[in-house]
Amino acid sequence: MSLLVTGSIGIDTVETPHGKRDDIIGGSAIYFSYAASFFTPVRLVGVVGEDCPKAMFNVFEGRDVDTGGLEVRKGSKTFRWHGSYVQDMNEAVTVEVDLNVLAERAPKIPQNFLDSRYVFLANTHPVLQQEMLGSLKSPRLVVADTMNLWIQTEHKELTRLLSKIHGLVLNDGEARLFTGEKNLIKAARQVLKMGPKFVVIKKGEHGCLMCFDRGEFVLPAFPAEQVVDPTGAGDSFAGGMMGYLSTQGTFSPATLKRALAFGTVVASYTISDFSLAGLQSTTREQIDDRWHEFKQAMSF
Amino acid sequence: MSLLVTGSIGIDTVETPHGKRDDIIGGSAIYFSYAASFFTPVRLVGVVGEDCPKAMFNVFEGRDVDTGGLEVRKGSKTFRWHGSYVQDMNEAVTVEVDLNVLAERAPKIPQNFLDSRYVFLANTHPVLQQEMLGSLKSPRLVVADTMNLWIQTEHKELTRLLSKIHGLVLNDGEARLFTGEKNLIKAARQVLKMGPKFVVIKKGEHGCLMCFDRGEFVLPAFPAEQVVDPTGAGDSFAGGMMGYLSTQGTFSPATLKRALAFGTVVASYTISDFSLAGLQSTTREQIDDRWHEFKQAMSF
């Protein structure tokens, strides 16, 4: 089944203890699309400025990613982010950020994408997320991400969005900020009351936590000895998770668990190199092998 | 098989967002002993001052803890610790600490304890740890804990201790400090080179990581909605782990994994109430049930 993603596309400059890369492709929708395309066809919706080199999208060559929803907006400039993990590999310091085209209107979802059944609304203004969701015909599974900025400035719209989606993905700091609850399980339970059927809280190197009505599930990160660039780990995680879910008929707790483990494994490849390089040198077979290795390592 | 533990015994004052408790029993050897006694007979070696109310040790009534190695030293005062988790449930702020008798000579291991096969050297000066270990006849499994203070001031003696033990338990901050390695798997691998067969890194609410020659094993903490007092979680974890190991004939990776899961489950009861109250209201049956629940929740 086709999986639609809307989110940011950016030109990144990233510094980590392993080096610096200038003008590399980034953004939530990019990492998500690449990660999800190991599992299912992906429909990418996003917007860049006319300064964006076309060659950047060569990364999707030979992959089942439909870039028909990619708008190159005249007179606008592409979103740019310069982040540094030199001090702390667990949290980027934003050196510079230029929202550029992301501060303008949302991209339009192409007509032939409107029948998408699986949808991931990557982080953007919750009003735009609702608008894009509203234009879809009959989505079967809708999962959204968000960020601190909207939690602080658009609490009401975010709450409105929650009543319309099946799952929310956010990180631990965001979950605490949104609910005022320090305990993550209590925080997740509070979010569940606002509508979603499940909540996934990402904890970076400490793995993730999923809560649903009948219980919860915790998973450590895949033990990685080599972390080169954590950028995109969360979006790759979501991509792996949604990619796998899109191939399944059910969203039972057991299916969600397996999906989370796939997300974890895919993210472990992302952080092994800069930008998309870690994912680009990976095959679905390797992902499946590592998934089984992870499953094995988790069982006792 | 009898399990010997040497470590601190203290009178604690603890403050958490759930309240304050004055003059409650604490110390690494106390939490460890109680936790391990769910699994196996425990031999407790420790020292208190003459100010320590005898009634404090009533907690071990009816439990298989031999307090024959408990020395009440005349003219000395009991170790006291006053900690607060009011700001951060993950890390105690020490309001006041009086080492008192802990700053004196180590307690003597009674003659009838010298044949102990399973040994846990809870945190104390690495020279004392080696002395106590040296007096034992033929220990089969020796695991030690340590702390920042000794890592910083007694690096050489700590390294010497490592060449004589089978396992080391320490927390994430200590592992990083000891090895200068930020990545915990790399840090653990470095410790392995100094002698131990396995290293367990405790990550508090984020679970634990074990490394041994042939691989590693990560485990999240048991998802706890109610955390009242985290004091003693690490020692209870070690107690559950060693208690279970003492009942097993092997230390295979599979056995170590199960032991870590028992440690995780026992610690989840400790943090549910102040001091030993959480463990005191728990049965071995409940521990086994929760262990199976945890195992189930971990499998996908």
Side-chain angles (χ1 to χ4, degrees), chain A residues 183 217-218 224 295 297-298 300, chain B residues 183 217-218 224 295 297-298 300:
Chain A
N183 182 292
F217 177 51
V218 279
K295 179 181 163 72
M298 281 303 89
F300 57 82
Chain B
N183 181 292
F217 177 51
V218 278
K295 179 182 162 71
M298 281 303 88
F300 56 83

Side-chain angles (χ1 to χ4, degrees), chain A residues 2 5 24 83 109 112 189 204 214 256:
Chain A
S2 261
V5 56
I24 49 178
I109 301 177
N112 62 327
R189 298 239 160 272
R214 277 173 297 165
L256 287 167

Side-chain angles (χ1 to χ4, degrees), chain A residues 127-149:
Chain A
V127 166
L128 296 186
Q129 287 176 311
Q130 289 175 77
E131 260 178 46
M132 288 190 279
L133 178 55
S135 67
L136 297 174
K137 284 178 195 158
S138 54
R140 189 166 171 212
L141 176 72
V142 181
V143 178
D145 195 351
T146 191
M147 73 179 289
N148 287 355
L149 177 63

Side-chain angles (χ1 to χ4, degrees), chain A:
Chain A
M1 294 291 293
S2 261
L3 167 61
L4 176 84
V5 56
T6 72
S8 65
I9 300 170
I11 302 175
D12 289 352
T13 294
V14 176
E15 294 172 79
T16 87
H18 296 271
K20 186 183 177 193
R21 294 292 182 281
D22 293 292
D23 300 337
I24 49 178
I25 191 166
S28 61
I30 296 297
Y31 282 104
F32 182 97
S33 296
Y34 205 103
S37 69
F38 285 106
F39 301 88
T40 198
V42 179
R43 293 165 167 180
L44 168 61
V45 175
V47 56
V48 295
E50 57 183 353
D51 58 332
C52 191
K54 266 197 177 166
M56 234 173 204
F57 298 94
N58 292 349
V59 288
F60 293 122
E61 245 171 42
R63 301 200 69 87
D64 210 346
V65 176
D66 186 338
T67 55
L70 178 67
E71 180 187 341
V72 181
R73 195 170 292 167
K74 287 222 167 133
S76 295
K77 290 175 85 177
T78 308
F79 167 58
R80 280 181 184 262
W81 179 73
H82 177 176
S84 171
Y85 296 91
V86 173
Q87 291 305 314
D88 184 355
M89 276 300 249
N90 289 313
E91 208 179 337
V93 172
T94 295
V95 179
E96 209 178 338
V97 61
D98 297 303
L99 284 179
N100 293 328
V101 72
L102 286 196
E104 305 170 10
R105 68 179 187 282
K108 203 171 144 51
I109 301 177
Q111 205 62 31
N112 62 327
F113 282 9
L114 296 180
D115 62 352
S116 301
R117 303 296 300 275
Y118 297 86
V119 181
F120 187 73
L121 304 167
N123 167 43
T124 188
H125 196 298
V127 166
L128 296 186
Q129 287 176 311
Q130 289 175 77
E131 260 178 46
M132 288 190 279
L133 178 55
S135 67
L136 297 174
K137 284 178 195 158
S138 54
R140 189 166 171 212
L141 176 72
V142 181
V143 178
D145 195 351
T146 191
M147 73 179 289
N148 287 355
L149 177 63
W150 315 124
I151 291 172
Q152 286 167 319
T153 63
E154 297 291 339
H155 206 282
K156 203 174 138 192
E157 287 300 335
L158 192 54
T159 306
R160 195 169 288 167
L161 171 71
L162 290 187
S163 68
K164 302 173 181 173
I165 62 177
H166 304 100
L168 181 70
V169 175
L170 74 179
N171 72 34
D172 43 2
E174 291 159 358
R176 290 188 170 113
L177 182 68
F178 186 47
T179 61
E181 225 351 300
K182 278 200 174 179
N183 182 292
L184 291 178
I185 298 174
K186 284 187 184 168
R189 298 239 160 272
Q190 217 166 298
V191 175
L192 284 185
K193 283 185 194 152
M194 301 180 200
K197 299 284 176 218
F198 65 90
V199 177
V200 178
I201 299 180
K202 299 173 289 181
K203 303 191 291 173
E205 66 162 335
H206 299 301
C208 65
L209 163 73
M210 181 183 64
C211 277
F212 45 94
D213 57 348
R214 277 173 297 165
E216 61 265 328
F217 177 51
V218 279
L219 209 59
F222 186 85
E225 223 168 312
Q226 175 81 326
V227 181
V228 171
D229 174 11
T231 311
D235 303 309
S236 305
F237 169 87
M241 177 186 96
M242 287 295 289
Y244 175 75
L245 283 178
S246 304
T247 65
Q248 304 296 307
T250 85
F251 316 121
S252 67
T255 310
L256 287 167
K257 274 184 185 188
R258 286 194 293 272
L260 251 60
F262 272 112
T264 299
V265 164
V266 172
S268 78
Y269 284 107
T270 299
I271 63 178
S272 70
D273 206 341
F274 283 97
S275 189
L276 288 178
L279 290 181
Q280 285 178 289
S281 59
T282 304
T283 65
R284 172 64 195 265
E285 207 176 6
Q286 285 176 303
I287 290 171
D288 287 348
D289 286 350
R290 187 172 280 188
W291 187 88
H292 280 103
E293 188 190 329
F294 189 46
K295 179 181 163 72
Q296 182 59 31
M298 281 303 89
S299 67
F300 57 82

Side-chain angles (χ1 to χ4, degrees), chain B residues 60-192:
Chain B
F60 292 123
E61 247 171 40
R63 300 199 71 87
D64 210 346
V65 177
D66 186 339
T67 56
L70 177 69
E71 180 188 341
V72 181
R73 194 170 292 168
K74 286 217 169 140
S76 294
K77 289 174 88 176
T78 308
F79 168 59
R80 282 183 182 264
W81 179 71
H82 178 176
S84 172
Y85 297 91
V86 172
Q87 292 304 315
D88 183 355
M89 277 299 250
N90 289 315
E91 208 179 338
V93 172
T94 295
V95 179
E96 209 179 337
V97 63
D98 297 304
L99 284 179
N100 294 329
V101 72
L102 286 195
E104 304 170 10
R105 68 180 187 282
K108 204 172 143 49
I109 301 177
Q111 206 60 34
N112 65 325
F113 282 9
L114 295 180
D115 62 351
S116 301
R117 304 296 301 276
Y118 296 86
V119 182
F120 187 72
L121 304 167
N123 167 43
T124 187
H125 196 298
V127 167
L128 296 186
Q129 288 176 311
Q130 289 175 78
E131 260 178 45
M132 289 190 280
L133 179 55
S135 67
L136 297 173
K137 284 177 193 158
S138 54
R140 189 166 172 212
L141 176 71
V142 181
V143 178
D145 196 350
T146 192
M147 73 180 287
N148 288 355
L149 178 62
W150 315 124
I151 292 172
Q152 285 166 320
T153 63
E154 298 291 341
H155 206 283
K156 202 174 138 193
E157 287 299 334
L158 193 54
T159 306
R160 195 168 289 167
L161 172 71
L162 290 187
S163 68
K164 302 172 180 173
I165 61 177
H166 305 100
L168 182 70
V169 174
L170 73 179
N171 71 36
D172 43 1
E174 291 159 358
R176 289 186 170 116
L177 182 68
F178 187 48
T179 61
E181 223 352 299
K182 280 199 173 179
N183 181 292
L184 291 178
I185 297 174
K186 284 186 183 169
R189 298 239 159 270
Q190 216 165 299
V191 176
L192 284 184

Side-chain angles (χ1 to χ4, degrees), chain B residues 4 7 41 45 69 72 114 129 160 197 206 213 216 221 253 256 292:
Chain B
L4 176 84
V45 175
V72 181
L114 295 180
Q129 288 176 311
R160 195 168 289 167
K197 300 284 177 215
H206 300 302
D213 58 348
E216 61 264 327
L256 286 167
H292 281 104

